[in-house]
């Protein structure tokens, strides 16, 4: 065999091998390799949220400074903000606090600590920033148990202010004016 012939054989063999490999890589022949993905260290959603790294600022800007008290609401309560808040409430809060925000959600009843009535004077008398912090950080009971989970990973900073603005609109319906 001449050199060229041998080279052609080698090239043909290489091309054949490549073709066979491509059958697998393009899933023409699909082999379900045994994998044990479930056997690995992992966290379930909202389990052990990682603490924010020291001296870091969220990309949305500083929402509040820890230990510096409640922040001031920067989002004007217009129709858009309230509507956004209403939708977000119906996704994130309704299961515990209920459709009327009186604390009678489907999940709420099963909790050891009943969710707060958000239309009540107790909650409504708090400043916007306090409600914002409750949503952001959750509520740690005096017994050291988490009564309400922190929802800062579920709602962006803007989202949380929208929810606060929405909660404010519930006040009137709870305390009817004479
Ligand atoms: C897993 C259930 C659960 C979800 C979801 C939940 N909450 Fe709560 N929330 C609670 C419970 C329970 C309490 C009462 C805690 C207590 O009294 O110690 C509470 C209390 C509160 C309070 C009163 C805190 C205060 O400062 O007096 C506010 C405000 C509040 N929730 C707002 C919200 C909003 C807004 C959402 C959605 C963005 C939400 N919660 C989602 C369970 C929940």
């Amino acid at each position: 065999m001449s050199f060229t012939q041998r080279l052609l054989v080698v090239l043909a063999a290489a091309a054949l091998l490549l073709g066979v490999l491509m059958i697998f890589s393009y899933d023409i022949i699909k082999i379900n390799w045994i994998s044990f993905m479930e056997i690995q260290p992992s966290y379930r959603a909202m389990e052990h949220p990682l603490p924010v790294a020291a001296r870091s600022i969220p990309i949305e800007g500083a929402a509040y400074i820890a230990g510096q008290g409640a922040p001031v609401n920067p989002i004007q309560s217009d129709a858009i903000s309230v509507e956004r808040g209403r939708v977000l409430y119906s996704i994130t809060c309704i299961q515990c606090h209920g459709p009327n925000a009186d604390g009678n959600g489907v999940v709420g009843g099963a909790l050891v600590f009943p969710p707060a009535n958000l239309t009540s004077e107790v909650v409504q008398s708090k400043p916007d920033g306090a409600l914002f912090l409750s949503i952001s950080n959750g509520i740690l009971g005096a017994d050291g148990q988490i009564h309400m989970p922190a929802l800062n990973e579920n709602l962006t900073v803007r989202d949380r202010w929208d929810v606060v603005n929405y909660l404010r609109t519930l006040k009137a319906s709870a305390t009817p004016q004479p």
Side-chain angles (χ1 to χ4, degrees):
M1 254 203 273
S2 74
F3 174 75
T4 336
Q5 279 174 325
R6 270 183 285 167
L7 189 67
L8 277 178
V9 170
V10 170
L11 283 180
L16 193 71
L17 190 69
L18 194 72
V20 171
L21 280 177
M22 266 155 74
I23 290 179
F24 288 99
S25 58
Y26 287 100
D27 280 351
I28 295 167
I29 297 177
K30 194 160 168 50
I31 298 176
N32 283 322
W33 301 103
I34 304 168
S35 69
F36 297 101
M37 220 169 142
E38 66 276 20
I39 308 176
Q40 63 169 338
S42 63
Y43 289 124
R44 306 211 338 247
M46 300 192 71
E47 188 186 10
H48 302 304
L50 290 174
V52 176
R55 297 181 60 79
S56 64
I57 296 176
I59 51 169
E60 298 167 88
Y64 58 90
I65 300 172
Q68 296 267 311
V72 176
N73 188 346
I75 306 292
Q76 204 194 338
S77 174
D78 53 16
I80 292 174
S81 172
V82 169
E83 176 60 13
R84 277 174 52 99
R86 188 189 65 77
V87 172
L88 292 165
Y89 177 91
S90 73
I91 297 169
T92 323
C93 326
I94 203 166
Q95 62 275 38
C96 289
H97 288 282
N100 301 322
D102 51 7
N104 291 323
V106 243
V107 177
L111 297 176
V112 182
F113 315 100
N117 178 350
L118 302 180
T119 67
S120 68
E121 190 54 36
V122 187
V123 172
Q124 290 288 342
S125 62
K126 295 185 177 179
D128 285 2
L131 304 182
F132 177 87
L133 287 183
S134 294
I135 300 170
S136 304
N137 302 329
I139 297 165
L140 192 69
D143 51 5
Q145 302 240 42
I146 296 172
H147 288 192
M148 176 174 140
L151 295 169
N152 57 345
E153 288 186 11
N154 304 54
L155 299 169
T156 65
V157 172
R158 164 79 207 247
D159 288 352
R160 281 173 250 162
W161 287 119
D162 288 335
V163 171
V164 169
N165 284 341
Y166 167 66
L167 291 183
R168 288 302 180 207
T169 67
L170 305 173
K171 187 179 184 178
S173 56
T175 47
Q177 302 298 317

